[in-house]
Amino acid sequence: MVEPLVPPFLPVALAAILLPFVGRRVGHALGVVATAVVVPYVWLVDAGQHGDVLLFGFDVVLFNVDPFSTLMGVIFGFIGAIAVLYSYYTEASALQTAFALSYVATSLGAVFGGDWLTLVFFWELMAVTSTLLVWHYRGRAVRAGYRYALLHGVGGTLLLGAVVWQYVEVGSFLFTASPSGMAGAVAPVLAALGIGVNVGFVGLHAWLPDTYPRPHVAASVFLCVYTTKTGVYGMYRAFPEGELAIAYMGGIMAVFGATYALFQNDMRRLLSYHIQSQVGYMVAGVGIGSTLAQAGAMAHVFNHILYKALLFMTAGVIIYRTKQSDLKKLGGLAREMPITAATFSVAALSIAGFPLFNGFVSKGIVVSASHYDFPKGPLAVGGFTTLEILLLAGGVGTFLSFIKFGYYAFLNGEYDGTVPDANRGQTVAMVSVAALCVGFGVFDTALFALLPFDVTSEAVVSHAYVTYTVDHVVEGLALATIGLLGFVVIKKPLEGLGRVPDVDDLYNPLALSGTRYLVVGVTELYAAVDRGAVAVADGTAAAVDRPDEFLGAVASRESVDLRTGIGVSVVLVVAVLVVVLATLLL
């Protein structure tokens, strides 16, 4: 074992600080090393609480090692190194990658914190660093980043309120002070809503498809990994024993995200909706709350990071080479870009949960938990629970979406011109991740070894999980068949479909109008107060310098403005006195 010398976020944060000053090539190499060493370090370090310090006068733990945080650290470190390599070969600037590494560092700080104060501290820093990563690309990314920051600010405030309420309830910020998670009646609600922003609860999700298609293609690879998965980790810490409503929300997310992804033609927007859909499986696992479900949720976190990063890398290479992100303007790229097409196919089969790919393993665990460890619910059919039906429906939607993506990008028609395939560094990054997607699908025991619970032991889980049973394989093939036939049926209607509105089409205009009226109201109020103050000042000066003229002006009809100013000043003084008295009395 390794002695816990420093929290794993520290070397990554140091690399982020140094990167802009040591040259682009050296800086990216430093970034790869700093993130890669996190993998063996967190795997080998002793379990337990390390780095007990005072933060804002409270006892906190900066380096808490348990099976959940270890799994998060391993995959965060690995994919961080891959994303830095991809960034270098996709012409990302040193400053952009520095922002990305600071984002990775704050995410590591959040998942290795042993208390709520540390988690929420890094949670807020994560929102700041990811916003900077989006803003760095300028253009349309600036406005999207503003909306992203606003929503995550609201979510972070709700989570902070939950943490404060938790401290009032249990008298400590430490996770160990409340093994059952958020205590009381208020803290769980605030935590669910606050974390729900990060994981993309339906209604709180619009920042995902709004933001992730906007920045540099390499930035999107980082963004698709850290925010939502740290949110799943936070959801587990808040509800370690599960929560019925959260499980059902996960099922609804799986269906909603897959459905809206099917309507998209922008590649990264389609992938962004599928983040919500796939995170829905993780949220469902956390909500179910059994050891099988929690292990499945963490397995899907691990696998999703691999195939989703790979999907964003393949889409990024297409955009990098063709300067085009609209599927309707692509086609026939399989002949021009065989490496990109092959790695996309691996990622698509993985996310869809096709047998022999990693998504088949982790999705299967969550679906199995929804069958054996969860109530049947109001819409149970035959032997399927309501939640199980939602998760399976999300699987069909996933097959439909990625058949559409692959067809229009790589198979349909011929591309007009010649397009180079992925360059050497991009190929190394994509093939490395694709190999793991296949490896963890074929050798499922390698994935099981990383999980917090042994899903194959009936002494640990309610129902021992076996990946490759006849029923499970048939189920996976059936979903793929339904998806393929479904795409044939809906292909024509989809081609004529325009933009489908989402919730942000409602609240973005409302927020814009509300902000505009607020600004105008505050400005007009300030102007009125300013006019009143100027009138009072003029009147006071006149009274001191020319007392006779002042008294005559007060008596005349021409002193309306002056008397109005005096009246405003009197009202303001009275209002201030009332506030002061109320403060003293309360």
Side-chain angles (χ1 to χ4, degrees), residues 85-99:
L85 175 66
Y86 181 84
S87 296
Y88 179 76
Y89 283 96
T90 316
E91 300 180 12
S93 69
L95 182 59
Q96 176 183 300
T97 306
F99 286 142

Side-chain angles (χ1 to χ4, degrees), residues 465-529:
Y465 179 72
V466 180
T467 303
Y468 291 103
T469 64
V470 173
D471 288 345
H472 191 198
V473 171
V474 169
E475 180 182 272
L477 295 175
L479 295 178
T481 303
I482 295 170
L484 182 59
L485 294 176
F487 180 71
V488 172
V489 172
I490 66 174
K491 177 176 173 291
K492 284 293 183 183
L494 280 177
E495 288 177 351
L497 189 67
R499 185 180 182 277
V500 178
D502 201 350
V503 292
D504 56 339
D505 289 289
L506 175 64
Y507 66 65
N508 277 350
L510 288 176
L512 179 62
S513 299
T515 304
R516 182 177 296 164
Y517 285 124
L518 178 63
V519 170
V520 171
V522 170
T523 303
E524 290 300 322
L525 178 61
Y526 176 83
V529 172

Side-chain angles (χ1 to χ4, degrees), residues 4-7 9 46-65 112-115 117-118 172 174-176:
L5 302 176
V6 295
F9 73 84
D46 290 328
Q49 295 184 340
H50 314 289
D52 297 13
V53 298
L54 287 177
L55 180 63
F56 307 127
F58 297 97
D59 292 324
V60 300
V61 178
L62 292 180
F63 193 10
N64 178 61
V65 183
F112 279 101
D115 60 278
L117 189 59
T118 301
S172 173
L174 297 175
F175 294 146
T176 54

Side-chain angles (χ1 to χ4, degrees), residues 534-556:
V534 170
V536 170
D538 289 344
T540 303
V544 172
D545 296 339
R546 300 180 299 279
D548 295 337
E549 293 180 12
F550 173 75
L551 292 175
V554 170
S556 70

